[in-house]
Amino acid sequence: MRPWLYGIATHLVARHRRTEIRRWKALSRAAERAEHDPEDAALSRVAAGELTGRLAEALAGLSRGDRDVVLLSALGELSHAEVAAALQIPVGTVASRLNRARKKLRKALGEVNPLKESHG
């Protein structure tokens, strides 16, 4: 019974992933269309929107495996071991995928770390 349930779960996750990719791409396109306002506060919002758009585009460009690891780690706040268990992959694979994805995301964001930028 468990393999059958995993099969159903896999199909649901795949559908969710396709929807998620469409949303990330739409968010990227929306950020590109943001209007620039001369006010400092508005410029800050636009800059954040541009970064968000680039981040969304970069996430959409990652492989499924890399994106899953990034999202489970960053948004789900899961440890490497928890991500490995959730995806049924070795912990070493989680570490290498996360490292590879971080490099790609940094490059796509122009070497900007949004976590440091928002707190600095």
Side-chain angles (χ1 to χ4, degrees):
M1 175 102 108
R2 195 157 70 170
W4 176 73
L5 289 174
Y6 280 128
I8 290 172
T10 300
H11 290 294
L12 290 174
V13 169
R15 185 172 4 147
H16 175 74
R17 186 179 60 245
R18 287 189 299 270
T19 300
E20 180 181 77
I21 289 170
R22 284 193 298 271
R23 285 183 186 150
W24 285 116
K25 288 181 179 179
L27 179 60
S28 175
R29 287 189 304 271
E32 290 173 6
R33 292 190 301 262
E35 292 184 35
H36 297 282
D37 191 279
E39 299 294 324
D40 287 341
L43 286 175
S44 295
R45 285 192 304 271
V46 169
E50 289 174 357
L51 183 61
T52 301
R54 290 195 330 242
L55 177 59
E57 184 177 356
L59 283 168
L62 292 176
S63 71
R64 179 183 59 116
D66 288 357
R67 186 174 45 255
D68 289 347
V69 168
V70 167
L71 294 177
L72 287 172
S73 296
L75 298 179
E77 298 180 357
L78 299 181
S79 69
H80 283 42
E82 291 169 326
V83 172
L87 298 177
Q88 297 181 349
I89 58 176
V91 175
T93 301
V94 171
S96 64
R97 285 181 183 180
L98 193 54
N99 185 48
R100 180 175 48 243
R102 283 178 176 160
K103 286 179 183 178
K104 289 179 181 178
L105 292 173
R106 267 191 230 111
K107 184 177 180 182
L109 296 174
E111 303 301 325
V112 171
N113 183 340
L115 297 177
K116 288 184 181 179
E117 294 296 321
S118 65
H119 297 294

